[in-house]
């Protein structure tokens, strides 16, 4: 498909973290020490590797991770990410090293090949495809689409919306790049994937039909729900988050897991800013939506829609989990982290499910987002600016603690200043 011209802005560069040479060196050395501690590297190889990294940073402000360091860093980034509830299996993350691939078409082709392997006949395995890192002189091809699979959103003549409201702007961009919607547009039209090349130009690529696996949503006992024609794609692949490891950012690192039923049934299909289908779903389920009485029909509709999503994915042979099961897994993850002497990072509003929250053990669990690196982030203005070294396991003395606190305050002030100035 056609691409647009790169004019003057650099949105990829703008959203990456801004690290001084000292900050980058601190994160690099701390990461290598963590790598050595957890994999069992001897003292002499560790000393030589630190010297090699510091020399490279002094000369070029960049260094290259070994394949083993890259795989370890990606898994630790997942372990540290406070907004993910499914981190129990972080050690099993499949890491694909594609740092040699540069062209947008090749990036998408390789991502689709990795997705095919991750789908695993429906028994989805978590995986990540890591492409070239960002340096002071160059940027890799990057995904502009927030996920590989996205449904179109169309503004209608009566000021309504057909499809996914979250993707109205993405749909407009895709059409500018040459994408044509079906002759009869529908609420579940898959959009092309949009990537930026190394020069900033945007390209739209159609998704190969063989990889666009979708699940039709039906209820096991209430057949009228199927008449709504609801569907969802089988595998969530997040493509617009940057991976940061030891002071090096990888802005193109799409990763996949598998769905939690509430993501689809309690959010995507019913949120007012998404499909907003709660009332039509309630009618299809035969529920009375009385505006004058208690709105308990909403609770029942959400529960039955979750049951329908679970039933449909299981019928299609696609892996999925319910919120009670994943909450129990998260509690297990927390216990394992405590036994390992680590403080697990968590963000309550993301970990606690939107359905039957108080019935899940995570509802009563105190959580703290440590913003630890390695990690994933969207933008330095949203969540990347708060990322820092986790010192909770370090035995800092009184004066060291004071020094680190003052340094952290200085860096936080500098980031707030940069956000005001919007420096690129």
């Amino acid at each position: 498909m056609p691409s647009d011209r790169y004019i003057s802005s650099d949105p990829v560069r703008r959203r990456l973290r801004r690290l001084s040479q000292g900050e980058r060196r601190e994160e690099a050395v701390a990461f290598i020490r963590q790598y050595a501690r957890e994999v069992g590297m001897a003292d002499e190889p560790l000393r030589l590797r630190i010297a090699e990294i510091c020399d490279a940073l002094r000369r070029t402000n960049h260094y290259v991770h070994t394949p083993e360091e890259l795989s370890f860093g990606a898994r630790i980034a997942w372990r540290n990410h406070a907004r993910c509830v499914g981190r129990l299996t972080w050690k099993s993350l499949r890491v694909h090293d594609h740092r040699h691939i540069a062209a947008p078409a090749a990036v998408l082709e390789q991502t689709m090949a990795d997705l095919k392997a991750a789908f695993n006949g429906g028994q989805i395995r978590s995986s990540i495809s890591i492409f070239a890192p960002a340096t002071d002189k160059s940027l890799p091809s990057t995904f502009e689409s927030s996920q590989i699979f996205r449904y179109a959103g169309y503004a209608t003549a009566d000021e309504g919306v057909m499809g996914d409201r979250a993707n109205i702007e993405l749909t407009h961009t895709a059409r500018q790049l040459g994408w044509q919607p079906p002759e009869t547009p529908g609420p579940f039209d898959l959009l092309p994937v949009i990537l930026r090349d190394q020069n900033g130009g945007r390209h739209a690529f159609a998704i190969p039909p063989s990889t666009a696996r979708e699940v039709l949503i039906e209820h096991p006992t209430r057949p009228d729900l199927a008449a709504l024609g609801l569907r969802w794609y089988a595998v969530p692949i997040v493509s617009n988050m940057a991976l940061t490891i030891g002071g090096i950012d990888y802005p193109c690192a799409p990763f996949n897991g598998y769905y939690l039923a509430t993501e689809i049934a309690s959010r995507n299909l019913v949120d007012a800013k998404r499909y907003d289908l709660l009332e039509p779903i309630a009618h299809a389920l035969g529920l009375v939506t009385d505006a004058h009485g208690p709105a308990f029909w909403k609770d029942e509709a959400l529960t039955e829609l979750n049951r329908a999503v679970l039933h449909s994915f299981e019928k299609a042979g696609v892996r999925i989990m319910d919120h009670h099961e994943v909450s129990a897994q998260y509690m297990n993850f927390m216990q394992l982290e405590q036994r390992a002497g680590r403080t697990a990072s968590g963000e309550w509003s993301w970990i606690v499910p939107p359905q039957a929250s108080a019935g899940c053990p995570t509802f009563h669990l105190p959580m703290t987002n440590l913003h630890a690196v390695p990690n994933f982030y969207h933008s330095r203005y949203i969540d990347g600016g708060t990322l820092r070294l986790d010192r909770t396991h370090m035995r800092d003395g009184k004066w060291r603690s004071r020094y680190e606190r003052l340094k952290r305050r200085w860096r936080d002030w500098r980031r707030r200043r940069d956000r005001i100035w919007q420096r690129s």
Side-chain angles (χ1 to χ4, degrees):
M1 289 188 179
S3 64
D4 64 351
R5 290 187 59 190
Y6 175 67
I7 302 175
S8 58
S9 67
D10 193 348
V12 178
R13 181 74 68 184
R14 275 205 311 272
R15 70 184 182 92
L16 296 179
R17 299 170 70 208
R18 292 176 61 90
L19 297 178
S20 66
Q21 193 173 51
E23 288 174 302
R24 197 180 306 276
R25 184 173 59 251
E26 280 184 16
E27 290 194 12
V29 172
F31 168 68
I32 294 302
R33 291 189 184 280
Q34 182 181 14
Y35 172 76
R37 185 170 60 251
E38 296 197 25
V39 304
M41 180 187 285
D43 291 343
E44 183 60 17
L46 171 61
R47 184 186 66 79
L48 293 175
R49 180 60 175 149
I50 290 176
E52 179 185 7
I53 289 172
C54 290
D55 181 61
L57 288 173
R58 185 168 50 253
R59 289 184 291 103
T60 65
N61 200 32
H62 183 75
Y63 70 99
V64 178
H65 290 121
T66 66
E68 295 78 15
E69 291 167 357
L70 187 72
S71 296
F72 174 80
R75 294 185 180 110
I76 299 304
W78 184 17
R79 189 178 79 189
N80 285 340
H81 194 60
R83 293 181 172 182
C84 180
V85 70
R87 287 174 278 166
L88 178 63
T89 57
W90 64 271
K91 291 183 181 179
S92 66
L93 177 68
R94 297 166 64 89
V95 181
H96 303 281
D97 185 355
H98 302 309
R99 287 176 286 178
H100 60 285
I101 298 177
V107 167
L108 180 61
E109 182 181 2
Q110 188 61 62
T111 302
M112 293 293 100
D114 293 342
L115 168 62
K116 185 176 181 180
F119 186 73
N120 191 32
Q123 299 303 307
I124 301 168
R125 296 176 292 198
S126 300
S127 71
I128 182 170
S129 305
I130 304 176
F131 296 91
T135 68
D136 291 344
K137 297 180 180 180
S138 65
L139 290 172
S141 298
T142 55
F143 287 92
E144 186 158 312
S145 302
S146 59
Q147 291 190 26
I148 299 295
F149 301 115
R150 294 270 83 178
Y151 289 123
Y154 307 102
T156 59
D158 58 354
E159 299 185 356
V161 175
M162 179 175 63
D164 195 340
R165 288 166 175 78
N167 296 327
I168 294 176
E169 184 176 351
L170 185 64
T171 304
H172 179 68
T173 300
R175 297 179 86 160
Q176 285 186 318
L177 294 174
W179 176 72
Q180 293 296 325
E183 187 174 340
T184 304
F188 297 99
D189 296 336
L190 278 171
L191 289 169
V193 184
I194 299 176
L195 291 94
R196 285 186 180 270
D197 61 29
Q198 293 130 307
N199 298 317
R202 291 186 295 185
H203 306 260
F205 298 92
I207 296 176
S210 59
T211 61
R213 296 179 174 87
E214 297 177 278
V215 177
L216 300 178
I217 307 300
E218 60 181 39
H219 196 277
T221 60
R222 304 187 186 185
D224 288 347
L225 183 66
L228 294 179
L230 305 180
R231 65 177 64 204
W232 208 258
Y233 43 91
V235 187
I237 313 175
V238 178
S239 53
N240 70 336
M241 294 188 75
L243 167 65
T244 182
I245 302 174
I248 303 299
D249 283 357
Y250 297 88
C252 186
F255 59 90
N256 78 274
Y258 44 86
Y259 264 118
L260 179 62
T262 52
E263 295 180 81
I264 302 170
S266 301
R267 298 301 308 275
N268 297 341
L269 291 176
V270 301
D271 273 3
K273 294 182 179 180
R274 299 296 299 278
Y275 274 85
D276 196 20
L277 292 174
L278 185 57
E279 193 163 346
I281 288 169
H283 292 157
L285 293 170
L287 304 178
V288 178
T289 57
D290 187 359
H292 302 290
F296 292 137
W297 62 268
K298 296 182 180 181
D299 303 70
E300 188 174 353
L302 287 171
T303 299
E304 293 303 323
L305 185 56
N306 271 272
R307 181 176 287 115
V309 168
L310 285 166
H311 164 78
S312 302
F313 270 69
E314 290 169 359
K315 182 179 178 180
V318 178
R319 188 178 186 183
I320 195 170
M321 294 185 71
D322 67 78
H323 47 291
H324 295 288
E325 182 182 7
V326 79
S327 294
Q329 283 194 1
Y330 184 80
M331 298 300 292
N332 192 7
F333 165 74
M334 292 283 292
Q335 292 171 359
L336 291 174
E337 289 298 288
Q338 290 174 353
R339 290 175 191 171
R342 297 188 292 261
T343 301
S345 187
E347 193 165 323
W348 194 92
S349 61
W350 284 76
I351 300 300
V352 177
Q355 186 76 9
S357 301
C360 298
T362 51
F363 181 84
H364 309 280
L365 188 67
M367 301 179 197
T368 301
N369 189 345
L370 300 176
H371 305 285
V373 289
N375 216 315
F376 294 91
Y377 69 95
H378 287 96
S379 164
R380 74 171 186 258
Y381 299 117
I382 300 173
D383 48 359
T386 58
L387 296 179
R388 56 173 58 93
L389 291 178
D390 175 18
R391 306 194 67 85
T392 56
H393 65 283
M394 301 181 185
R395 297 181 179 179
D396 293 335
K398 179 177 68 173
W399 294 107
R400 179 70 179 188
S401 297
R402 290 181 179 179
Y403 169 72
E404 292 295 336
R405 185 164 58 250
L406 289 173
K407 186 167 63 175
R408 184 169 62 249
R409 289 176 179 174
W410 158 253
R411 289 173 176 173
D412 288 344
W413 175 84
R414 192 186 66 193
R415 292 187 180 103
R416 288 195 298 270
R417 180 201 63 187
D418 288 352
R419 184 172 183 176
I420 293 172
W421 289 359
Q422 293 285 300
R423 297 196 308 182
S424 61

